[in-house]
Amino acid sequence: MARVVVVGAAQLGPIAREETRAEVVSRMIALMEKAASRHCDVVAFPELALTTFFPRWFMEDQADVDAFFEKSMPNDDVAPLFARARELKIGFSLGYGELTEIDGVTHRYNTTIIVDKAGNIVHRYRKIHLPGHPEHEPWRPFQHLEKRYFEPGPEPFSAASVFGGIFGQAICNDRRWPETYRELALRGVEMVLIGYNTPVHYPLAPEHDHLQCFHNHLSLQAGAYQNGMWVVGIAKAGKEEGCDLIGQSCIIAPTGEIVAMAGTLGDELITYDCDLDRCLEIRKNIFNFKLHRRPELYTALTSANLDG
Ligand code: ING
């Protein structure tokens, strides 16, 4: 018995600071049309897919920062993407900067949504693990100010029933934390979509720069295998405003095998026929949580007071 979802990962090459959302959306529509021609049920876009990765700059004026955020979702800029998806009857995931008001208070999150084939937003996730630093650190060749520009997501990881399976989302740095995948797997997620913007150069440990692509796949593949889950990693890649971002977007089976991978640092679609029932090869055997897992002994895992 196979429960196949045809999945597309739509890697985006560099987005220039001055590139308009209309220009980016037309690039995304081109990838979406290619995905539809390959009979994709869903096409996944990267983290912060509508703009350049703006946390690389220190900006004093909040108005300059807010120019990189979406004040509503959907909105006029992304309407063509939503409309084309509805015409093509294809679902998609989209990462963006979310500026929203909740009970009269303004919040800013690093957010991603899943939109079903009818054009409904069926899932929203706000990035839990924000990397980087809150203050301007001029010693760095570029900043990584996610802790300044975003609030950490206030909700746990979650699942959505869509495309005939159970889907989840995570964003970039989340993929490095094993808790991300286990939380999603314990909620029944069979496939997680994870967009990322990852610079090659990591100023605090430049001796690791040559390991960025290794660490990317190591994290994604381990998460997939140890939780019997399909994992899709979607890069914003290439030399973006002088900053080299890794590519190697990939689709990973529950066995941990990379079954599709991007070969360029530009706009590129990779696709794979993902049989969601293959999760059972792992979840009924080696990682049968009910049979083998001992949560009563994992007492350090969620105790916040250990300095971990
Ligand atoms: N970017 C990076 C990531 O976690 C980073 C930050 C880069 C961490 C390199 C460690 C090494 O992939 C985002 N946006 O989280």
Side-chain angles (χ1 to χ4, degrees):
M1 147 87 162
R3 204 162 28 103
V4 174
V5 181
V6 184
V7 175
Q11 174 178 291
L12 287 174
I15 298 178
R17 182 173 190 156
E18 298 317 314
E19 198 160 341
T20 65
R21 285 181 176 67
E23 287 164 328
V24 178
V25 164
S26 64
R27 285 168 56 184
M28 296 169 79
I29 287 173
L31 289 164
M32 180 180 277
E33 288 174 345
K34 186 175 288 191
S37 72
R38 296 192 202 166
H39 312 293
C40 285
D41 295 297
V42 54
V43 57
F45 290 107
E47 169 193 32
L48 296 174
L50 295 168
T51 69
T52 196
F53 187 72
F54 62 91
R56 70 166 64 91
W57 297 299
F58 174 68
M59 292 174 270
E60 303 233 41
D61 184 343
Q62 189 62 47
D64 292 340
V65 178
D66 288 353
F68 291 101
F69 282 80
E70 308 309 314
K71 283 65 177 181
S72 64
M73 185 52 69
N75 60 40
D76 292 346
D77 290 320
V78 298
L81 184 71
F82 275 71
R84 194 71 184 107
R86 264 195 304 277
E87 286 165 5
L88 296 168
K89 293 186 175 45
I90 188 169
F92 62 97
S93 68
L94 172 68
Y96 63 95
E98 178 191 10
L99 194 158
T100 185
E101 206 168 285
I102 302 170
D103 300 334
V105 178
T106 300
H107 297 272
R108 292 172 183 81
Y109 299 110
N110 187 340
T111 297
T112 184
I113 55 174
I114 294 176
V115 181
D116 69 10
K117 295 182 179 181
N120 305 306
I121 297 175
V122 295
H123 190 252
R124 183 196 64 219
Y125 166 71
R126 291 159 169 162
K127 187 173 182 179
I128 288 172
H129 298 100
L130 293 175
H133 47 100
E135 301 305 329
H136 186 202
E137 296 186 7
W139 65 272
R140 294 169 179 260
F142 50 84
Q143 305 297 300
H144 198 113
L145 288 164
E146 290 193 61
K147 287 187 189 298
R148 184 184 187 87
Y149 297 148
F150 302 114
E151 284 175 58
E155 301 125 350
F157 292 103
S158 59
S161 291
V162 65
F163 312 124
I166 304 179
F167 280 70
Q169 297 188 95
I171 301 176
C172 205
N173 198 258
D174 289 326
R175 78 192 186 286
R176 300 177 189 277
W177 299 85
E179 294 87 350
T180 299
Y181 304 93
R182 187 52 51 90
E183 280 285 327
L184 289 163
L186 289 170
R187 285 167 167 72
V189 169
E190 297 168 307
M191 176 176 290
V192 58
L193 309 175
I194 312 179
Y196 57 88
N197 287 246
T198 300
V200 169
H201 179 50
Y202 187 67
L204 290 173
E207 66 276 19
H208 294 174
D209 287 5
H210 68 290
L211 298 172
Q212 292 308 340
C213 286
F214 165 62
H215 286 159
N216 179 40
H217 285 167
L218 176 68
S219 304
L220 295 169
Q221 288 179 266
Y225 167 61
Q226 291 168 348
N227 295 281
M229 193 188 305
W230 287 91
V231 174
V232 182
I234 315 101
K236 166 95 81 48
K239 186 179 275 297
E240 187 177 81
E241 295 293 336
C243 181
D244 288 306
L245 303 174
I246 67 169
Q248 296 201 327
S249 301
C250 55
I251 300 172
I252 300 169
T255 55
E257 295 166 283
I258 294 177
V259 292
M261 184 170 84
T264 73
L265 292 176
D267 291 7
E268 180 177 347
L269 179 76
I270 57 172
T271 59
Y272 196 75
D273 295 5
C274 302
D275 175 2
L276 298 181
D277 286 337
R278 291 205 59 197
C279 296
L280 298 176
E281 292 169 20
I282 299 284
R283 290 191 180 172
K284 287 182 86 72
N285 304 310
I286 182 80
F287 288 110
N288 181 322
F289 291 161
K290 212 178 293 307
L291 278 189
H292 306 311
R293 198 164 162 268
R294 303 288 310 282
E296 71 279 8
L297 297 180
Y298 306 151
T299 50
L301 266 193
T302 54
S303 50
N305 52 6
L306 292 175
D307 56 13

